[in-house]
Amino acid sequence: MKYLLSIVVAVIMLSACSTQPKEGVILMMETSKGDMKIKLYDETPQHRDNFIKLAEEGFYDSLLFHRVINKFMIQGGDPESKGAAPGTMLGNGGPGYQVPEEINYPTLFHKKGALAAARTGDNVNPERKSSGSQFYIVQGETYNDEKFNSIEKRYEEMTRQKIFYEVLEGYKDTLQALQQSGNQEAFMGMRVSIEEEVEKKLANEPKQTIPEEVKEVYRTIGGVPHLDDSYTVFGEVIEGLEVIDSIATVGTAQGDRPLEDVYIIKVEVLK
């Protein structure tokens, strides 16, 4: 019954967001380290309208940036962080619903200042639904061709791993039988066959690369490219990038929580 109620609440909340779409929205996020002006993207209407709704309700007022990692990102939006005592583990709170993913890569990507939705991992959230309230703002760093090559090799390895498990599914009963029989020669031969099949399938897969225009932004402005195509980016800081740096460089304790509370004073819709 509790799970069903959460679904009903989520549907009601998202329906309310979608019935009154708001375009070209600019927000002001006032923080204890300075103010950031944020533009929300029209390409991600469900995330845009949900963020507006929460801002207008005062949901974000007095919440902490509860997770901060220098040269990576600053994260907030956990309602349990409001007035949280030092040492309290944070990051699991939310409004009781999720937002369907609106990943729009490479149009929207993790450049410095990007506003994106936090979420749980693919192992428990294969649909990549976003937290209903938790967000992060990218700081990141600049990248060169060597770093891009490393990321693209990681893409290839992830594709290889995905294909491997798909191929393995068709052989697992045979492999198990060979292993139990003690026929190591046949077992090793089967492994070689599987690896050859994986490489053959991999060769037919389109190579995943970072578009040149995206690379140029990461070379100059910086960001976190390895998060691209995995999380919904739904806005960007258009004024106050220095505030991100100020927050990202604070000292942190276990769990990446700042030793000094850094909080959102309020989020105001400007237009």
Side-chain angles (χ1 to χ4, degrees):
M1 178 62 73
K2 184 177 179 182
Y3 176 71
L4 179 59
L5 181 60
S6 296
I7 293 175
V8 172
V9 170
V11 170
I12 292 172
M13 300 297 271
L14 293 175
S15 297
C17 289
S18 60
T19 54
Q20 297 179 329
K22 299 181 180 182
E23 299 180 356
V25 176
I26 305 294
L27 306 173
M28 181 65 74
M29 180 179 288
E30 297 181 30
T31 81
S32 56
K33 291 288 187 179
D35 300 343
M36 292 179 282
K37 188 178 285 188
I38 298 171
K39 173 186 176 182
L40 300 182
Y41 296 141
D42 294 336
E43 294 92 335
T44 52
Q46 293 184 82
H47 284 74
R48 176 198 64 199
D49 294 348
N50 180 62
F51 201 78
I52 292 167
K53 173 190 169 299
L54 294 177
E56 290 179 335
E57 291 175 351
F59 181 95
Y60 290 114
D61 299 358
S62 302
L63 300 190
L64 299 178
F65 282 97
H66 64 271
R67 184 171 177 243
V68 168
I69 302 176
N70 191 27
K71 295 185 178 180
F72 185 39
M73 59 88 221
I74 59 176
Q75 183 172 335
D78 180 353
E80 296 176 4
S81 70
K82 190 172 185 176
T88 302
M89 295 301 293
L90 301 170
N92 294 318
Y97 61 89
Q98 294 174 299
V99 182
E101 65 90 4
E102 294 180 294
I103 297 170
N104 194 355
Y105 178 78
T107 301
L108 308 177
F109 55 96
H110 286 79
K111 64 184 178 182
K112 182 175 183 178
L115 171 68
R119 67 174 180 86
T120 51
D122 287 358
N123 58 324
V124 294
N125 179 24
E127 295 178 340
R128 296 181 170 180
K129 293 178 181 179
S130 300
S131 164
S133 63
Q134 289 197 43
F135 65 89
Y136 59 92
I137 300 174
V138 174
Q139 184 198 32
E141 57 186 341
T142 56
Y143 279 70
N144 56 29
D145 288 341
E146 183 179 352
K147 290 181 179 179
F148 289 136
N149 290 337
S150 177
I151 291 171
E152 289 174 348
K153 285 180 181 177
R154 191 185 309 164
Y155 289 157
E156 182 177 329
E157 190 53 43
M158 288 170 64
T159 303
R160 177 182 283 108
Q161 189 175 52
K162 176 177 176 290
I163 294 171
F164 172 77
Y165 283 114
E166 290 173 353
V167 171
L168 184 64
E169 190 65 26
Y171 288 92
K172 65 179 183 180
D173 291 340
T174 304
L175 285 169
Q176 186 174 15
L178 289 173
Q179 190 173 34
Q180 289 174 347
S181 70
N183 190 340
Q184 286 300 310
E185 184 177 352
F187 181 83
M188 294 305 295
M190 186 68 72
R191 282 191 57 182
V192 171
S193 297
I194 290 171
E195 290 169 3
E196 289 175 348
E197 185 174 342
V198 168
E199 292 305 315
K200 185 176 179 180
K201 287 179 178 291
L202 181 63
N204 291 324
E205 286 286 321
K207 201 169 183 66
Q208 188 176 358
T209 60
I210 304 170
E212 187 56 39
E213 61 272 20
V214 174
K215 285 183 178 179
E216 188 56 30
V217 175
Y218 284 132
R219 287 188 187 103
T220 55
I221 297 173
V224 187
H226 72 265
L227 295 181
D228 286 338
D229 207 22
S230 295
Y231 296 80
T232 297
V233 176
F234 64 97
E236 67 176 282
V237 174
I238 56 175
E239 290 182 21
L241 288 174
E242 70 282 356
V243 177
I244 303 171
D245 296 329
S246 180
I247 296 173
T249 53
V250 300
T252 56
Q254 186 177 9
D256 302 311
R257 178 175 170 178
L259 293 167
E260 158 201 359
D261 280 351
V262 181
Y263 57 91
I264 299 168
I265 298 172
K266 67 177 180 177
V267 180
E268 180 182 2
V269 180
L270 300 182
K271 67 173 184 175

